[in-house]
Amino acid sequence: MLKLYVDQDFFSPYAMAAFAALTEKGLPFEALTRDLATGQQFEPAYRAQSLTSRVPTLVDGDFSLSESSAIIEYLEDAYPGTLRVLPVDLKARARARQLQAWLRSDLLPLRDERSTETVFGRKPALPLGEAARKAADKLIAVAEAVVPVDGGNLFGDWCVADAELALLLKRLTAEEMPPRLSAYAERQWLRPSLVAWRARQAR
């Protein structure tokens, strides 16, 4: 059985993406946790598996891999008979990868002020500072450009980029973004794989 190491609180957006990919593909896996606050990710045995001492880390037999985007790509190639979580079309897949890379590397002021603890209801959504507000405006502009007018999935069939974009949008309150984007994020939030992720937080 595959193993996926995630953070103890199930707050990591990157771990969530890998968890969603495995769940959507219907691959049996065991979710194991590392307590990042106490430094379990730096224990020698775990470091040897992850290389980067981060979560998520996937273990598939004698092969292990960290970094969520690498994990998702690996699962697509290693298990071709399962549901695709990235678009089949070449250009759509490239666009999905672009969005994933951008969501991971930009919008830092927003991510700092509205952590996933806010998204998952552990902290209140305090008013945004100037830098975070500018980041939010950038996020909204990109989301408005890529989310279909009908609020459906980004590329027709669901893909993991939908989950990742929805999580970023959920850092904003419904009043801070256009209704179409709020509805899109809420619809994605009801995806069974994301419901399963949030259910782990209550355990």
Side-chain angles (χ1 to χ4, degrees), residues 131-153:
R133 181 67 257 173
K134 288 181 179 178
D137 289 342
K138 186 188 296 186
L139 171 62
I140 289 169
V142 171
E144 286 193 304
V146 297
V147 172
V149 174
D150 64 2
N153 298 324

Side-chain angles (χ1 to χ4, degrees), residues 24-157:
E24 294 283 344
K25 285 180 167 295
L27 292 168
F29 71 99
E30 181 181 8
L32 304 170
T33 61
R34 297 277 86 187
D35 187 348
L36 307 186
T38 63
Q40 282 188 336
Q41 69 274 30
F42 299 115
E43 292 176 356
Y46 183 74
R47 179 181 293 170
Q49 288 182 313
S50 79
L51 294 182
T52 56
S53 298
R54 285 154 58 113
V55 296
T57 291
L58 177 75
V59 178
D60 186 1
D62 61 357
F63 178 69
S64 59
L65 183 69
S66 63
E67 304 302 322
S68 59
S69 55
I71 289 170
I72 291 164
E73 294 277 358
Y74 171 75
L75 292 172
E76 291 284 79
D77 293 338
Y79 297 94
T82 60
L83 179 75
R84 299 278 306 184
V85 296
L86 290 171
V88 175
D89 177 77
L90 174 65
K91 293 180 180 178
R93 188 165 65 252
R95 183 72 71 203
R97 287 170 171 156
Q98 177 191 7
L99 288 171
Q100 288 178 292
W102 179 70
L103 291 169
R104 285 165 169 75
S105 63
D106 204 345
L107 312 173
L108 185 59
L110 175 60
R111 290 187 281 135
D112 281 345
E113 290 193 24
R114 297 272 180 86
S115 71
T116 50
E117 290 183 80
T118 300
V119 175
F120 297 123
R122 301 294 178 89
K123 288 185 176 180
L126 300 176
L128 295 172
E130 182 179 357
R133 181 67 257 173
K134 288 181 179 178
D137 289 342
K138 186 188 296 186
L139 171 62
I140 289 169
V142 171
E144 286 193 304
V146 297
V147 172
V149 174
D150 64 2
N153 298 324
L154 292 172
F155 306 103
D157 292 333

